[in-house]
């Protein structure tokens, strides 16, 4: 139905970047871990409820990194090694930030203009994931994902005993039954559905305000392939039959632990029957209709940090404005 040869993502998947070697072989080397923590060249990212401190310098935004001596006490995780420098995350209140209640923290996506020059400010992935360089974006995604997993897996699911952190933050071990528990990732498919007229299907959930639209997505169920999940989710959410799901790319979405796998799919039916519990509104858009709605301000797209935005822009054929 469509020319798949041209289906290449426009622009980078901003949360799929990273330059640090995860160095998994070093996680169980307690001697190396202690030596790395004592090294003043080691750098530490402090993470607190998915937030860290960032600082703008000219046209660049960087994560604020500390030496181990400067870092506050807290649970620590090895994030990897790059050019001989070890990187850790420490879970603790952000130095100099308003405290654990997150008062005053950024809640909307930041632009370079909105980021104060020189002064550290707390922010999360949704706000600065697209502003950080490759290394810092990768470190922050990794740290956010590990922090979220540890926060919800403090106790053994078999016997309820409090587990202990091991392997540089990549395993939790139960001291009662010796069971080991590893960070989990929840795969979710996210798909841009097109009809035979090359219109794009956008929708919003009941919890979203009017005008805030995105493409469809859903979690992969046990015993299910990615392709079947695409077909099932579209049918369940809007009653549309799709065929030919085609994988375009993936990126982590650690809110708290998803991996978003992006697809295009072709609709063989176009009548929309939204599931009232999942979908408040669903509409087909031509490119002209989409652009007109964006210019009128009646439509807002997902931010550039999301894979949804990349899939929409890939279908459209260029960059768009009008973020949430």
């Amino acid at each position: 139905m469509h020319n798949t040869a041209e289906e290449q993502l426009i622009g980078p998947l901003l949360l799929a970047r990273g330059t640090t070697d995860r160095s998994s072989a070093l996680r169980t080397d307690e001697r190396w871990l202690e030596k790395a923590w004592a090294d003043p060249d080691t750098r530490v990212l402090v993470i607190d409820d998915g937030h860290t401190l960032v600082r703008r310098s000219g046209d660049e935004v960087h994560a604020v990194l500390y030496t181990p001596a400067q870092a506050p006490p807290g649970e620590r995780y090895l994030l990897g090694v790059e050019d001989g420098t070890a990187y850790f995350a420490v879970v603790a209140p952000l130095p100099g930030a308003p405290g654990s209640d997150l008062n005053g923290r950024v809640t909307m996506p930041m632009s370079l203009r909105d980021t104060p020059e020189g002064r550290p400010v707390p922010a999360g992935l949704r706000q600065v994931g697209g502003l950080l360089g490759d290394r810092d974006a990768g470190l922050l995604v990794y740290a956010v994902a590990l922090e979220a997993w540890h926060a919800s897996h403090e106790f053994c699911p078999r016997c309820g005993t409090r587990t202990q952190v091991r392997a540089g933050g990549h395993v939790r071990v139960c001291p009662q039954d010796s069971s080991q528990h590893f960070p989990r990732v929840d795969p979710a498919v996210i798909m841009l559905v097109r009809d035979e007229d090359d219109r794009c299907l956008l929708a919003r959930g009941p919890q979203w305000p009017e005008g805030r639209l995105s493409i469809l997505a859903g979690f992969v169920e046990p015993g299910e392939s990615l392709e079947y999940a695409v077909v099932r989710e579209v049918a369940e959410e809007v009653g549309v039959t799709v065929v030919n799901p085609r994988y375009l790319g993936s990126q982590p979405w650690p809110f708290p632990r998803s991996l978003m796998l992006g697809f295009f799919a072709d609709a063989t039916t176009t009548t929309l029957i939204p599931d009232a519990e999942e979908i408040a509104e669903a509409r087909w858009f031509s490119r002209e209709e989409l652009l007109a709605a964006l210019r009128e301000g009646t439509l807002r797209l997902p931010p550039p940090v999301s894979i949804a935005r990349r899939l929409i822009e890939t279908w459209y054929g260029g960059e768009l404005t009008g973020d949430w």
Side-chain angles (χ1 to χ4, degrees), residues 20-23 32 78-82 85-88 139 142:
T20 304
D21 184 337
R22 295 199 171 201
S23 306
W32 182 90
L78 175 66
L79 300 180
V81 178
E82 181 178 354
T85 299
Y87 291 87
F88 286 83
L139 291 175
Y142 198 178

Side-chain angles (χ1 to χ4, degrees), residues 40 45 120 276:
L45 179 81

Side-chain angles (χ1 to χ4, degrees), residues 63-176:
V64 177
L65 301 176
Y66 300 87
T67 67
Q70 295 169 330
E75 203 169 80
R76 66 179 184 248
Y77 318 134
L78 175 66
L79 300 180
V81 178
E82 181 178 354
D83 296 331
T85 299
Y87 291 87
F88 286 83
V90 165
V91 180
L94 301 182
S100 59
D101 61 358
L102 304 185
N103 284 336
R105 298 202 176 181
V106 179
T107 57
M108 296 296 291
M110 297 172 66
S111 67
L112 186 66
R113 182 187 66 254
D114 296 331
T115 310
E117 173 84 27
R119 179 168 60 86
V121 294
L125 269 177
R126 284 188 174 94
Q127 291 75 52
V128 295
L131 298 179
L132 296 171
D134 291 353
R135 185 201 65 182
D136 288 358
L139 291 175
L140 184 55
V141 172
Y142 198 178
V144 168
L146 284 176
E147 181 199 26
W149 178 76
H150 282 282
S152 59
H153 289 76
E154 293 184 65
F155 299 93
C156 177
R158 302 167 103 184
C159 67
T161 302
R162 183 179 290 276
T163 54
Q164 300 170 343
V165 179
R166 294 287 185 270
H170 293 76
V171 181
R172 295 190 76 102
V173 177
C174 177
Q176 180 67 30

Side-chain angles (χ1 to χ4, degrees), residues 169-255:
H170 293 76
V171 181
R172 295 190 76 102
V173 177
C174 177
Q176 180 67 30
D177 61 21
S178 300
S179 60
Q180 296 183 347
H181 308 278
F182 299 87
R184 57 177 283 196
V185 175
D186 298 333
V189 290
I190 182 165
M191 43 278 178
L192 187 141
V193 177
R194 306 187 294 185
D195 70 2
E196 63 179 8
D197 295 323
D198 205 16
R199 295 182 301 171
C200 169
L201 177 59
L202 299 180
R204 68 179 177 91
Q207 72 278 17
W208 295 356
E210 290 188 14
R212 176 176 171 176
L213 301 179
S214 185
I215 55 179
L216 302 178
F219 286 106
V220 181
E221 294 187 346
E224 185 176 49
S225 70
L226 300 176
E227 293 79 4
Y228 189 85
V230 169
V231 175
R232 174 185 56 78
E233 282 288 344
V234 176
E236 289 178 353
E237 293 191 350
V238 294
V240 169
T241 300
V242 299
V243 296
N244 194 24
R246 304 178 297 285
Y247 173 76
L248 269 77
S250 68
Q251 78 168 6
W253 192 250
F255 306 110

